[in-house]
Structures are given as C-alpha cells and as structure tokens.
Amino acid sequence: QVQLVESGGGLVQPGGSLRLSCAASGSIFSINAMGWYRQAPGKQRELVARITSGGSTNYADSVKGRFTVSRDNAKNTVYLQMNSLKPEDTAVYYCNTLARAMGVHYVADYWGQGTQVTVSS
C-alpha cells in the first residue's frame, strides 16, 4: 500500500503565499505522476497541478502563473508553491499519486487526507 501525508495548509491573507508538501510512503515499487486537486464547498474536486516522473507539468488555467508544482523523486515528495493567493483558492487540497505498490502488477490512484487552505482577510 501507498500512503500520502500532506502538510502546509492554513489561513493566509489575499495576495499571500503557502507551500504544500506531500510525502508518499509505504510499500512503493514505483511512482508515476504526482499532483494536487482541490475541492471547495459545494463544488466538484478539480485538478490544480500535476507533474510526471519526468518533470512534465500541467496546471488548471485558474492557477497558471501563480502556482508551481515540483517534486523530489528521491524523497517521493511533491510540493505546491502557491503565490498571489485569492479567496477563490479556498478549498481542501488533496495530494494524489499514480503509483505501483510492491507485489502488484498494476498502478492505482492514491489520495491524501486533504489539507485546508483558507484565503481570507
């Protein structure tokens, strides 16, 4: 099994910054893409940013130019640097990875427990 543990959420004023981290642990054979999704109250979960094992990235249009996703493959960790935060960025942010656990021959989606990000004055 693969476990994801997120950290770094909190309350920030509009225009501020936060950095989220997510570390994968457990019986990991390989990790493919890693990324971040978010879900605001009353809305569907949406992709925020994603990065492949080779370093290719994609972002939601709403965060392009403000958020940066990166990863440390040696630590099985993905980061999300969020700058110029807006009230509409308020949501629970979930870490996600497509990974293969030890002893299996398929990849699966794994999710973190979520971390709250609130942007408010």
Side-chain angles (χ1 to χ4, degrees), residues 28-39:
I28 301 170
F29 180 82
S30 64
I31 294 180
N32 298 352
M34 300 187 79
W36 295 91
Y37 288 71
R38 66 186 180 186
Q39 187 167 20

Side-chain angles (χ1 to χ4, degrees), residues 52-72:
T52 68
S53 57
S56 297
T57 59
N58 63 292
Y59 296 90
D61 287 343
S62 60
V63 307
K64 284 180 180 177
R66 301 188 298 121
F67 291 10
T68 302
V69 63
S70 60
R71 64 190 283 175
D72 184 332

Side-chain angles (χ1 to χ4, degrees), residues 78-93:
V78 63
Y79 306 95
L80 185 68
Q81 178 66 44
M82 303 184 293
N83 298 328
S84 302
L85 282 160
K86 304 175 181 179
E88 51 263 44
D89 294 317
T90 295
V92 177
Y93 283 69

Side-chain angles (χ1 to χ4, degrees), residues 91-114:
V92 177
Y93 283 69
Y94 295 91
C95 178
N96 167 265
T97 186
L98 190 64
R100 179 179 166 185
M102 292 285 194
V104 301
H105 300 284
Y106 56 85
V107 293
D109 262 325
Y110 294 92
W111 294 90
Q113 78 284 359

